[in-house]
Amino acid sequence: MTLKTTPFDAAEYFDDAESQAELLADAFETGDATYIAHALGVIARARGMTAVAKNAGVTREALYKALSGKGDPRLSTLLGVTKALGLQLDVKPIGPGSLGA
């Protein structure tokens, strides 16, 4: 008997704004650029990559590449994607003296 598998796409499970925001917040908490790009890619696929790319001002192909496992999106791409997704980045200190004070 042959084992049949199907590809897993996390985008199918992040179908509401709250779960998407939690995923992205978790990614930013780690500080791992690859995870952040991956999380943005999951959310963009969940919302429709073509529409997100258009609203972010990049081509769909460029967005797929930037948000891939090997991608390293430019800051302008990151900001455009978060805006297109209707998300706001929030910055806060991580502890006393964390900014070299």
Side-chain angles (χ1 to χ4, degrees):
M1 181 163 96
T2 304
L3 180 63
K4 207 173 203 186
T5 61
T6 57
F8 173 78
D9 186 2
E12 295 176 19
Y13 300 94
F14 288 92
D15 57 358
D16 62 86
E18 186 176 323
S19 64
Q20 293 169 359
E22 283 185 36
L23 172 64
L24 196 54
D26 183 64
F28 272 101
E29 282 181 19
T30 69
D32 181 344
T34 302
Y35 181 21
I36 294 167
H38 175 74
L40 283 169
V42 167
I43 296 167
R45 285 194 317 278
R47 295 197 185 179
M49 191 65 89
T50 301
V52 171
K54 180 180 178 186
N55 291 332
V58 297
T59 66
R60 189 174 65 87
E61 293 78 15
L63 191 57
Y64 269 112
K65 183 178 179 180
L67 302 179
S68 74
K70 294 182 180 181
D72 188 10
R74 295 181 354 192
L75 181 58
S76 59
T77 302
L78 173 70
L79 295 174
V81 170
T82 55
K83 184 178 179 182
L85 294 172
L87 299 171
Q88 175 181 324
L89 300 178
D90 189 20
V91 178
K92 61 184 176 183
I94 55 175
S98 61
L99 296 177

